[in-house]
Amino acid sequence: MNRIFRMVSLLLVLCVLCGMTMAAGAEEVIDADLTCTITLGNWPADTAPEAEKALFEGYKATMAKQYPNVTLVPDYYSYTLSNYVPMAKGGTAPSIFQPPFTDPQLLISQHLVGDVTDALEQFGVLEQFSPSYVEMLADENGRIYGLPRDGYVLGMHINIALFREAGLIDDEGLPIYPKTLQELAEYGQIIREKTGKAGLVFPASETYGGWLFTNIAWNFGCVGDSALEYQDEDGRWICNFTSPECIAAMEYMRDLKWKYDILNADATTTDWAGAHSLLGTGEAAMNFAADDSVDQPTANKGLPVEDFALIPFPAGDAGRYALAGGTCYMFAPNITNDQAVALMAYLKILGKLPFLDDAIIEGMRADYAAKRDRGAPVIPAISAWTDEAYNNAKQAIVDEFSNVDMRLYADFFDSLSEGTITLKSEEPVFAQQLYRELTAVVQRMITREGADVEKALRKAEESFQEYLDDEINDY
């Protein structure tokens, strides 16, 4: 095993050095007049693997050749909301940093991040920014303050074998899957009756139940003025679990158990891993899950890739939202236009703008080859860009290593590229505590048939409001 590990490590280093060589080969000066200094909060820590640090040194060397008068200052920074805010207000934030997708809208609304819209336009990519990310990374005027680094979008995993057994298959052999939350309940009921298996596995332990419930609640209308939490005119954070929309969403959760009977029997003790296991082993037909975990029920739990599908999150009566998580790049609020341009040039070298070079292509080929070898579905990564040539080039690499019928994933990816589903980040403050409170309500709904929805939500609302007051409003 050690020998294999050493060989893999050696290959990795060679790949990195190869990438550096190709990157370093880009010696053409692109702009000798651009003169500024940018601090790189995304630089690897001193404790990072040598290969990672060498890779970033390669990026820096390429930048020095292409933009000789731009000074790059490595400035490793571990972001948290609480440590970033005083830095941004004091003018000491790094030029680029990496917050989770939970924070961009809060930072934008507080004017704590820099606008890179004009720099993106200068690079000719502004119009290619995917509309699916606009709500997360832009303000109300469409100005853009961040770019995705990596992430996931919540949809639904399907066990096609159970759909087939239940007769929910069309003439082409594809699953007839639910487009709406109401259809989810009805199809799940058919699956229960025809197969005896759970129509839906719902992990309602710890904070998972509340986490998934928020996406259901958004699709019932818990956004905008009816959001689960919001700031009032005085800037105080307010919990809002008792809106008509939230009550309706929780009544839906109750009906999944007591009206349609589609949930797995041990929902209150099922966690994220357990949910994937139940779907992969054929004990449940549907699971709310994302594109970044398609290997869990398949490669890890044995579900053949031909019996697996990824579909969009079902719509509700009031909307079609899907949770998007992950990490993005954002920028200090005091960056100049020249610094914004230099930062886009730097991200282009990192492969984060819709441009491809030999090193990026080879890295992608190696990644997809590894996924295919271990039996995981080879599917595209979600693109932040609508550039057709760029996406086609990436798709060609996916096609080279494909081991799936992409018709089983097409609607999921089309909903993102066509903007027919709206991406939404997690609730803005103390999301984990919010999830914990809502999980408790979900558990009560699915374990007590006559539970009072509004009473349970009001109790959770009072508890979370007290938490908000202690932690942020009256702090």
Side-chain angles (χ1 to χ4, degrees):
M1 179 66 77
N2 288 337
R3 183 180 177 187
I4 295 173
F5 178 77
R6 285 196 297 272
M7 291 178 64
V8 171
S9 299
L10 177 60
L11 285 172
L12 175 61
V13 171
L14 288 173
C15 288
V16 168
L17 292 176
C18 180
M20 287 176 60
T21 301
M22 285 184 280
E27 296 181 353
E28 180 183 354
V29 175
I30 294 178
D31 189 346
D33 295 329
L34 184 63
T35 303
C36 62
T37 296
I38 54 175
T39 52
L40 308 178
N42 68 326
W43 196 263
D46 291 340
T47 55
E50 292 302 319
E52 183 181 355
K53 289 189 284 189
L55 186 63
F56 274 76
E57 289 290 353
Y59 296 147
K60 185 181 177 186
T62 301
M63 188 78 180
K65 291 171 181 172
Q66 295 182 350
Y67 300 86
N69 289 310
V70 173
T71 301
L72 272 60
V73 179
D75 185 23
Y76 167 73
Y77 167 54
S78 179
Y79 169 90
T80 66
L81 180 61
S82 59
N83 71 25
Y84 176 76
V85 171
M87 294 171 69
K89 291 183 176 178
T92 60
S95 303
I96 182 172
F97 62 101
Q98 305 172 105
F101 275 130
T102 50
D103 293 354
Q105 282 302 310
L106 178 63
L107 297 175
I108 293 169
S109 68
Q110 300 296 316
H111 308 292
L112 295 174
V113 283
D115 182 342
V116 293
T117 312
D118 294 339
L120 288 171
E121 186 169 22
Q122 185 168 328
F123 272 78
V125 299
L126 178 60
E127 299 303 321
Q128 298 156 8
F129 192 69
S130 173
S132 297
Y133 283 101
V134 168
E135 179 156 326
M136 298 175 62
L137 298 172
D139 65 14
E140 66 275 13
N141 298 314
R143 304 292 294 183
I144 296 173
Y145 297 79
L147 299 178
R149 190 196 75 178
D150 53 54
Y152 65 85
V153 173
L154 197 62
M156 181 162 280
H157 290 184
I158 294 286
N159 183 315
I160 298 175
L162 288 176
F163 272 69
R164 188 181 300 116
E165 188 176 343
L168 295 170
I169 294 291
D170 67 14
D171 294 339
E172 298 182 10
L174 302 176
I176 302 172
Y177 70 81
K179 308 293 193 305
T180 67
L181 289 168
Q182 179 58 36
E183 289 182 350
L184 166 63
E186 295 170 359
Y187 293 4
Q189 189 175 40
I190 293 172
I191 290 168
R192 170 74 83 189
E193 292 172 354
K194 299 286 187 181
T195 72
K197 305 297 184 181
L200 173 70
V201 53
F202 193 87
S205 67
E206 303 173 18
T207 57
Y208 298 109
W211 177 58
L212 294 174
F213 173 77
T214 56
N215 202 148
I216 294 172
W218 297 337
N219 291 358
F220 270 83
C222 294
V223 295
D225 292 340
S226 298
L228 297 170
E229 57 182 14
Y230 65 89
Q231 278 185 290
D232 66 13
E233 294 177 350
D234 297 322
R236 296 177 64 84
W237 283 96
I238 305 298
C239 175
N240 182 29
F241 290 168
T242 53
S243 68
E245 294 84 358
C246 190
I247 291 172
M250 192 58 75
E251 288 175 340
Y252 171 80
M253 280 302 311
R254 184 181 61 185
D255 286 348
L256 291 183
K257 169 62 180 177
W258 301 109
K259 181 177 180 180
Y260 298 99
D261 186 26
I262 71 169
L263 302 181
N264 54 308
D266 53 352
T268 59
T269 58
T270 301
D271 60 12
W272 181 84
H276 287 301
S277 180
L278 290 173
L279 187 100
T281 57
E283 295 299 319
M286 295 178 277
N287 179 30
F288 292 120
D291 57 297
D292 68 338
S293 59
V294 295
D295 62 328
Q296 294 295 320
T298 53
N300 290 357
K301 295 300 176 184
L303 182 65
V305 292
E306 58 268 26
D307 282 338
F308 175 83
L310 173 66
I311 65 171
F313 201 99
D317 292 340
R320 193 182 192 196
Y321 291 87
L323 171 67
T327 304
C328 59
Y329 295 110
M330 300 198 87
F331 314 96
N334 56 350
I335 57 170
T336 64
N337 183 65
D338 283 350
Q339 287 175 313
V341 171
L343 287 163
M344 294 306 104
Y346 172 67
L347 289 177
K348 179 184 176 183
I349 291 171
L350 266 61
K352 301 302 179 183
L353 297 188
F355 302 94
L356 289 174
D357 60 27
D358 291 343
I360 294 171
I361 290 172
E362 286 308 307
M364 291 172 62
R365 294 183 78 254
D367 180 43
Y368 286 126
K371 288 179 179 175
R372 185 181 63 181
D373 289 347
R374 67 189 185 92
V378 174
I379 59 175
I382 296 170
S383 180
W385 307 99
T386 60
D387 184 287
E388 187 173 353
Y390 172 77
N391 289 332
N392 287 344
K394 291 178 67 176
Q395 184 61 50
I397 301 171
V398 173
D399 292 342
E400 179 182 352
F401 295 95
S402 177
N403 59 351
V404 302
D405 181 347
M406 277 306 296
R407 293 179 301 171
L408 301 174
Y409 303 82
D411 287 351
F412 177 85
F413 287 106
D414 288 349
S415 71
L416 304 176
S417 62
E418 296 171 1
T420 56
I421 198 164
T422 302
L423 301 186
K424 194 174 184 326
S425 58
E426 296 180 79
E427 294 297 323
V429 295
F430 300 109
Q432 294 303 316
Q433 184 63 27
L434 178 147
Y435 298 152
R436 195 173 303 283
E437 295 286 357
L438 288 173
T439 295
V441 181
V442 170
Q443 290 181 341
R444 189 172 184 85
M445 293 304 112
I446 64 178
T447 56
R448 300 191 182 194
E449 186 171 3
D452 186 322
V453 170
E454 185 170 356
K455 181 179 178 181
L457 283 171
R458 186 168 301 285
K459 181 179 179 182
E461 180 179 85
E462 292 171 354
S463 176
F464 187 51
Q465 187 62 56
E466 183 177 353
Y467 185 87
L468 289 174
D469 291 343
D470 288 343
E471 295 295 329
I472 193 169
N473 289 333
D474 301 329
Y475 183 72

